[in-house]
């Protein structure tokens, strides 16, 4: 009985093998002879220790690069979602200034921020002026308008029912609803042909 108490635990034996300077056949056989009760674990550890670490094999192969690129494309939008919304960072003062610059009511700017405007109905000259005012290219601005604004409206409401996200409206309908006078609306709707 006392001999069993002096016997090292499986963990101690495996640790001892792991720190051996050599993991050759003679060392493994010695451990197997001395500790046959741990033979399965010793063999598993010996296999693990005998694996050669992969060295730097030079530049990536084309297939490896494609795998990395595919993974990057899958997860990059998660990190850049906030950066893809240039309107989200506009303060109230900036929104006011933008509305004055574009000569439209602030509710027009708000509708763009909330992605309620059907981008296909917005005349190109207005898109160009809007994009220039927020220092974006027309293509980048148009792309940002096609992305939904995060998780809907992240505002606090005091209402009995949950607010519903409204459907998209045409640019002209937005101008009419905002009370833009007919003459100014005609200027804004001009395609610049």
């Amino acid at each position: 009985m006392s001999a069993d108490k002096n016997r090292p635990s499986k963990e101690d034996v495996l640790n001892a093998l792991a720190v051996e300077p050599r993991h050759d056949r003679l060392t493994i056989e010695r451990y197997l002879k001395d500790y046959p009760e741990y033979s399965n674990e010793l063999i598993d550890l010996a296999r693990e220790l005998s694996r050669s670490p992969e060295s730097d094999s030079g530049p990536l192969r084309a297939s490896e690069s494609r795998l990395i690129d595919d993974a990057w494309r899958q997860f990059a939008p998660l990190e850049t979602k906030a950066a893809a919304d240039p309107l989200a960072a506009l303060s109230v003062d900036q929104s006011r200034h933008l509305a004055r610059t574009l000569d439209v009511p602030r509710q027009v700017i708000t509708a763009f921020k909330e992605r309620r405007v059907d981008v296909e109905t917005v005349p190109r000259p207005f898109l160009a002026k809007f994009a220039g005012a927020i220092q974006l290219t027309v293509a980048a601005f148009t792309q940002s308008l096609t992305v939904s604004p995060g998780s809907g409206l992240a505002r606090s409401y005091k209402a009995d029912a949950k607010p519903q996200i409204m459907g998209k409206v045409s640019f002209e309908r937005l101008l009419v609803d905002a009370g833009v006078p007919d003459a100014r609306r005609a200027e804004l709707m001009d395609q610049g042909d």
Side-chain angles (χ1 to χ4, degrees), residues 110-111 113-114 116 151-158 163:
T110 302
K113 286 175 83 169
E114 294 174 349
R116 289 187 291 124
S151 61
L153 302 175
R155 297 184 191 169
S156 176
Y157 292 93
K158 289 186 178 182

Side-chain angles (χ1 to χ4, degrees), residues 99 102-109 112 126 171-189:
L102 298 174
D103 193 20
V104 295
R106 265 191 38 215
Q107 71 189 68
V108 172
I109 305 303
F112 274 91
F126 183 80
F171 182 62
E172 187 168 19
R173 176 84 266 163
L174 175 63
L175 296 175
V176 169
D177 292 348
V180 175
D182 292 345
R184 177 64 183 140
R185 192 169 63 241
E187 288 174 24
L188 291 169
M189 291 304 298

Side-chain angles (χ1 to χ4, degrees), residues 48-126:
E48 197 66 33
L49 293 171
S50 68
R51 289 185 184 181
S52 63
E54 293 200 23
S55 62
D56 185 14
S57 59
L60 295 175
R61 295 181 304 219
S63 62
E64 294 169 328
S65 290
R66 278 193 304 274
L67 286 172
I68 292 169
D69 290 342
D70 289 345
W72 177 251
R73 276 191 293 277
Q74 181 181 358
F75 294 106
L78 299 176
E79 291 184 17
T80 61
K81 193 171 197 175
D85 188 3
L87 298 175
L90 290 177
S91 68
V92 173
D93 288 337
Q94 291 169 324
S95 293
R96 277 190 201 118
H97 177 71
L98 184 58
R100 280 193 301 273
T101 301
L102 298 174
D103 193 20
V104 295
R106 265 191 38 215
Q107 71 189 68
V108 172
I109 305 303
T110 302
F112 274 91
K113 286 175 83 169
E114 294 174 349
R115 307 300 193 275
R116 289 187 291 124
V117 182
D118 181 2
V119 180
E120 300 295 320
T121 65
V122 181
R124 181 118 175 121
F126 183 80

Side-chain angles (χ1 to χ4, degrees), residues 14 17 25 31 43-44 47 54 60 67 69 74 78 80 82 94 101 112 115 134 147 149 165 169-170 190 192:
L14 295 176
L17 175 60
R25 183 180 180 105
Y31 273 82
I43 291 170
D44 288 343
R47 284 185 183 150
E54 293 200 23
L60 295 175
L67 286 172
D69 290 342
Q74 181 181 358
L78 299 176
T80 61
Q94 291 169 324
T101 301
F112 274 91
R115 307 300 193 275
I134 58 172
V147 176
I165 297 175
V169 296
S170 71
D190 184 17

Side-chain angles (χ1 to χ4, degrees), residues 2 4 8 11 29 58 86 89 107 118 120 139 159 162 183 185 192:
S2 62
D4 288 336
E11 191 171 313
E29 285 177 351
Q107 71 189 68
D118 181 2
E120 300 295 320
K162 184 177 178 181
R185 192 169 63 241

